[in-house]
Amino acid sequence: QVQLVESGGGLVQAGGSLRLSCAASGSIFSDNAMGWYRQAPGKQRELVADITSGGATNYADSVKGRFTISRDNAKNTVYLQMNTLKPEDTAVYYCNVRYTNRETYVYWGQGTQVTVSS
């Protein structure tokens, strides 16, 4: 059973920074991708950024230049450094890990609230 535990959310003023962490435990195929998604009230969940075990990254246009995703493969942990936060970044942020080993497996964390005040 794979578990993802997120931390680091909170309340911050516009222009501020937060760093999210997500630690994965359990049996995870080494060739995987870890990512951050977010869901604001009344909106669909959207990709924020993801990163492969090889280090390739992908960002939503709305966060490019402000957010940085990184990972520590030895710890199965992914981070999201969020700078120059805007009120529109307010959402519940979810971590996920996905990999394919005959089948495709996707696991989600419980989510962490990020609130940016204007």
Side-chain angles (χ1 to χ4, degrees):
Q1 185 72 11
V2 175
Q3 289 189 323
L4 300 173
V5 179
E6 298 130 333
S7 61
L11 173 64
V12 65
Q13 289 188 334
S17 298
L18 283 174
R19 187 187 193 220
L20 305 183
S21 299
C22 172
S25 61
S27 180
I28 302 172
F29 195 58
S30 59
D31 185 8
N32 63 68
M34 299 186 78
W36 290 96
Y37 288 70
R38 66 187 180 187
Q39 187 167 18
K43 294 189 177 181
Q44 290 188 332
R45 191 174 297 189
E46 62 176 3
L47 173 70
V48 176
D50 60 18
I51 182 168
T52 68
S53 48
T57 58
N58 178 44
Y59 293 92
D61 287 343
S62 59
V63 306
K64 283 180 182 177
R66 300 188 298 122
F67 291 10
T68 302
I69 191 169
S70 60
R71 63 185 289 167
D72 183 335
N73 288 337
K75 297 180 179 179
N76 272 339
T77 299
V78 64
Y79 307 96
L80 185 68
Q81 178 66 43
M82 305 185 293
N83 298 329
T84 319
L85 282 160
K86 304 176 181 180
E88 51 263 44
D89 294 317
T90 295
V92 178
Y93 283 70
Y94 297 90
C95 166
N96 89 343
V97 62
R98 64 186 186 277
Y99 62 89
T100 299
N101 185 15
R102 297 186 180 181
E103 300 178 29
T104 297
Y105 299 84
V106 182
Y107 299 95
W108 292 91
Q110 79 284 357
T112 185
Q113 177 70 46
V114 171
T115 302
V116 184
S117 63
S118 57

